[in-house]
Amino acid sequence: MIYPRLGVNIDHVATLRQQRGEFYPEVDRAAEVSLATGADQITIHLREDRRHIQDRDVSAVYEVCHKFNKPLNLEIGCHDEMINIAIAHNPQWICLVPEKREERTTEGGLDVMDPKNYEKVKKTCDRLKEKIPQTKISLFVEADAEVLQRCLTIKADAVEIHTGEYAKDFLQKKDLSFHLKQYRDGSKMIKARGWGYHAGHGLTFESLVPLLEEAEFEEYNVGHWIISESVFIGLGHVVKEMATLIKKYPLKGSP
Ligand code: PXP
């Protein structure tokens, strides 16, 4: 059986640390605990404003991932500085995200329908593929047919679907059928080209379940909820529970 992968986003361990300017809680320790308790990958977002993850965290987390033989998924915006850092670290995955200074968290996917943005994303992927060809790239986007079609013209390996709106609707007990249909349609289009189909943003233990039942996404990146719940039951327990949940739902077509 093949199951979806769980990427644990530990940005908010750094948020807590930066709040006080102390050395704790340690981000590399969070990576270690997550990988020891069932995470398949560690995700960190090095933002231009360095509000949580710092440059030194990238090497520290990379080392931990290397020790566990698990991938590091580095999220970056398409800025030269970030691209150079990513090239220097050579992570297994890079997820390209839009980044606005004033936003609280990543708001929506990359706007690849805008010609200027499209060129920026395309050029970033070309450069990454030239410099670190073994690194896989995912594009964080909305599950819109036109957007996905456009992504497929870029040199990347996967899309990560922005599940923020779905997650909000789930919490407000709204009808989810529109989102789920979009995700199913997107899956066909993306997988037909052999690309990876990932999901992330705003997900919780409970809002993960309808997506797991659909069995379309091969990877989930979950951060804020995991770190929040850790306050009550501890990071290792939260990761273990989520990893155990995911292992109940094999992927569609899995042998
Ligand atoms: N995936 C991407 C591309 C993101 O930017 C984020 C937030 O940094 C996440 C997943 C995780 O979102 P959340 O913290 O809401 O679980």
Side-chain angles (χ1 to χ4, degrees):
M1 289 283 185
I2 301 172
Y3 298 93
R5 298 180 296 275
L6 173 61
V8 176
N9 180 316
I10 54 174
D11 290 348
H12 297 304
V13 174
T15 303
L16 205 54
R17 180 192 62 193
Q18 295 307 110
Q19 187 65 25
R20 279 291 176 94
E22 293 292 350
F23 66 89
Y24 66 87
E26 297 94 329
V27 170
D28 52 344
R29 186 171 165 202
E32 179 115 26
V33 169
S34 302
L35 291 171
T37 49
D40 298 297
Q41 149 176 298
I42 298 296
T43 296
I44 49 176
H45 183 178
L46 183 68
R47 295 184 73 102
E48 232 192 332
D49 63 10
R50 309 298 200 275
R51 70 173 70 157
H52 40 54
I53 295 295
Q54 305 296 304
D55 297 47
R56 65 179 186 280
D57 295 326
V58 182
S59 339
V61 173
Y62 183 91
E63 284 306 313
V64 176
C65 289
H66 183 70
K67 190 171 109 184
F68 281 83
N69 198 20
K70 296 281 185 196
L72 167 65
N73 177 30
L74 180 64
E75 292 178 10
I76 54 165
C78 298
H79 309 291
D80 283 341
E81 187 198 5
M82 296 304 142
I83 297 166
N84 289 335
I85 292 173
I87 290 171
H89 284 91
N90 199 7
Q92 287 75 14
W93 278 90
I94 290 176
C95 179
L96 293 181
V97 299
E99 210 177 279
K100 293 191 217 107
R101 274 186 182 262
E102 61 281 11
E103 70 192 356
R104 266 208 214 155
T105 178
T106 318
E107 291 166 356
L110 293 161
D111 181 8
V112 288
M113 300 313 287
D114 173 77
K116 241 173 96 183
N117 271 328
Y118 171 79
E119 272 313 309
K120 199 157 88 172
V121 175
K122 193 169 179 299
K123 272 197 187 140
T124 302
C125 290
D126 287 346
R127 175 134 183 259
L128 291 170
K129 285 291 177 195
E130 187 202 330
K131 297 283 182 195
I132 42 171
Q134 62 280 46
T135 295
K136 292 192 171 177
I137 305 173
S138 67
L139 306 174
F140 185 57
V141 288
E142 304 297 325
D144 173 85
E146 275 188 75
V147 168
L148 297 180
Q149 212 58 24
R150 203 116 175 88
C151 287
L152 290 169
T153 65
I154 295 174
K155 275 191 206 152
D157 305 277
V159 289
E160 179 171 326
I161 298 298
H162 172 238
T163 50
E165 294 309 313
Y166 157 85
K168 270 191 208 152
D169 286 352
F170 181 94
L171 291 178
Q172 292 170 17
K173 299 189 173 23
K174 288 190 185 162
D175 181 23
L176 303 172
S177 49
F178 168 77
H179 299 291
L180 297 178
K181 179 173 184 318
Q182 258 202 336
Y183 298 163
R184 278 195 296 276
D185 293 347
S187 174
K188 278 195 208 102
M189 200 186 289
I190 290 296
K191 289 179 188 168
R193 287 283 297 273
W195 279 33
Y197 197 54
H198 308 167
H201 214 277
L203 296 172
T204 66
F205 192 85
E206 268 141 16
S207 60
L208 207 51
V209 173
L211 302 182
L212 288 168
E213 284 170 349
E214 292 280 327
E216 300 285 3
F217 293 115
E218 295 152 338
E219 177 181 306
Y220 296 94
N221 287 296
V222 187
H224 188 258
W225 185 84
I226 289 183
I227 305 306
S228 305
E229 188 65 9
S230 302
V231 170
F232 304 107
I233 65 167
L235 180 58
H237 288 291
V238 185
V239 173
K240 196 169 176 187
E241 282 183 3
M242 198 171 263
T244 306
L245 172 74
I246 290 176
K247 294 281 178 296
K248 289 182 185 153
Y249 296 90
L251 283 168
K252 218 171 239 174
S254 149

